[in-house]
Amino acid sequence: MADPDLVLYHCPNACSQVAIYALEKAGAEYRVELVNLYQAQQQTAEYLAISPLGKVPLLMVDGKPLMENAAILTLIGALWPDAGVFPANPSPLTRAEMVGGMSFCGGTLHPLVRGIANPQRMTTGDVEPVREMSRRLFEKSVKYAEKRVTESGWWLGEQSVVDVYLNWVLSVAQRTGFSLVSFPHLSSLKDRLMAEPAFARMQAQEAEFSKTLGV
């Protein structure tokens, strides 16, 4: 069966970079359409017609839109099960841990880091209480993540796309001034990932995409 036609809608520095890593890891053929979040392109009628929530990533699969990182990563892992996006031949428990890792990054850490970086998007009132509570809850969650990766260095006990998602959230937090000094296994996560060719290729693409958009 032929591989599907894949088009990823992406903005540099956004969480959609995790999907780029997965596609690179899988060795998939795909195209990237840049969406300039910095100029609110995601709110244009043209983009909202295919992505009603105005978010990235969005993956067009044979012309059909698929939203949400967890869904996109799950699809890529299923299409290329031996590529190493996720552990090969996972046990039922490991499969559940895969879902749990993506949920933790996308459903716990991501909203909290948004509350730190952009609290005005979370309230119509005073932003500082939102930022402060988000920071407290984020630090609590990071303590859990540090404990989780301490033994092997990886979320699932071996490298997977969950670690790339975790790295992205941590990188956003660091840009807000959040320090990882007290979390040595997390602070060294990017260095471990850089040894992975697919991760290095994703990083190189991000640099080029940033130049293209001038961000």
Side-chain angles (χ1 to χ4, degrees):
M1 185 174 64
D3 292 340
D5 181 66
L6 301 175
V7 182
L8 180 71
Y9 288 80
H10 165 65
C11 181
N13 301 317
C15 66
S16 43
Q17 68 175 233
V18 184
I20 289 183
Y21 164 83
L23 290 164
E24 287 292 322
K25 182 70 173 177
E29 292 188 11
Y30 66 100
R31 304 187 305 282
V32 172
E33 291 286 344
L34 293 180
V35 180
N36 194 334
L37 303 185
Y38 303 96
Q39 295 185 1
Q41 186 181 353
Q42 75 275 21
Q43 296 301 331
T44 62
E46 181 182 17
Y47 190 63
L48 290 172
I50 60 172
S51 180
L53 297 180
K55 301 196 303 182
V56 294
L58 179 137
L59 184 67
M60 280 289 185
V61 185
D62 289 334
K64 296 181 180 180
L66 180 65
M67 298 189 296
E68 300 297 340
N69 248 328
I72 291 168
L73 302 178
T74 298
L75 175 68
I76 296 168
L79 289 172
W80 291 276
D82 299 320
V85 177
F86 293 107
N89 302 311
S91 68
L93 180 59
T94 297
R95 193 178 299 277
E97 293 283 12
M98 290 157 45
V99 175
M102 290 187 291
S103 298
F104 177 71
C105 292
T108 297
L109 292 181
H110 195 158
L112 291 175
V113 82
R114 181 183 294 125
I116 298 170
N118 301 111
Q120 70 278 5
R121 295 172 59 183
M122 311 293 286
T123 181
T124 57
D126 185 0
V127 299
E128 288 310 315
V130 175
R131 180 180 282 116
E132 176 59 27
M133 182 56 70
S134 296
R135 185 176 293 276
R136 288 183 189 178
L137 294 175
F138 187 81
E139 184 168 6
K140 177 182 178 181
S141 298
V142 169
K143 287 179 180 177
Y144 165 72
E146 172 73 11
K147 183 178 180 180
R148 172 93 191 200
V149 305
T150 292
E151 183 174 351
S152 67
W154 309 112
W155 188 266
L156 296 174
E158 60 183 278
Q159 184 181 325
S160 74
V161 73
V162 175
D163 302 297
V164 179
Y165 204 164
L166 179 59
N167 176 75
W168 175 79
V169 179
L170 295 173
S171 70
V172 175
Q174 286 179 291
R175 289 199 293 272
T176 71
F178 187 88
S179 175
L180 292 178
V181 171
S182 299
F183 309 102
H185 296 88
L186 293 177
S187 63
S188 59
L189 177 60
K190 184 174 181 179
D191 290 338
R192 294 194 295 278
L193 288 170
M194 282 300 293
E196 163 62 54
F199 185 85
R201 291 196 300 272
M202 179 271 286
Q203 291 282 301
Q205 286 194 62
E206 283 288 81
E208 290 302 315
F209 292 147
S210 293
K211 288 180 182 179
T212 297
L213 295 185
V215 297

